[in-house]
Amino acid sequence: MSISGITNIALSGMRAQTARVGAIANNIANSSTPDYARLNTSLTSTEPGVRAIVEPTTLNVDLATELTTMIEAEQSYKANAAIFETGADMWEMLMSIKRD
């Protein structure tokens, strides 16, 4: 796999986690709204990377679940960001070798 492929996969992971956090924020903001349909985010594998699908459900909003999912999304985003940074560092190293 190429460095650009790795960074693209990490970028898609960060985008998916951003969509996930957006859905969680919407659920928390509307937790006391009558007849609110909780948004559920599912992640699906694509070529290349991952994609978030946000769909309304019939479930009620549980703040403990939302906050736990928020922590999970944060950790996943950080992991993808670390991979992206490593790929960027590798590109920088290759460019400095090429210049010499």
Side-chain angles (χ1 to χ4, degrees), residues 16 63 68:
L63 292 179
T68 303

Side-chain angles (χ1 to χ4, degrees), residues 18-34:
T18 300
R20 190 175 179 197
V21 168
I24 294 167
N26 197 31
N27 289 340
I28 292 171
N30 291 295
S31 62
S32 61
T33 303

Side-chain angles (χ1 to χ4, degrees), residues 20 66 74 82:
R20 190 175 179 197
E66 299 298 332
E74 176 190 12

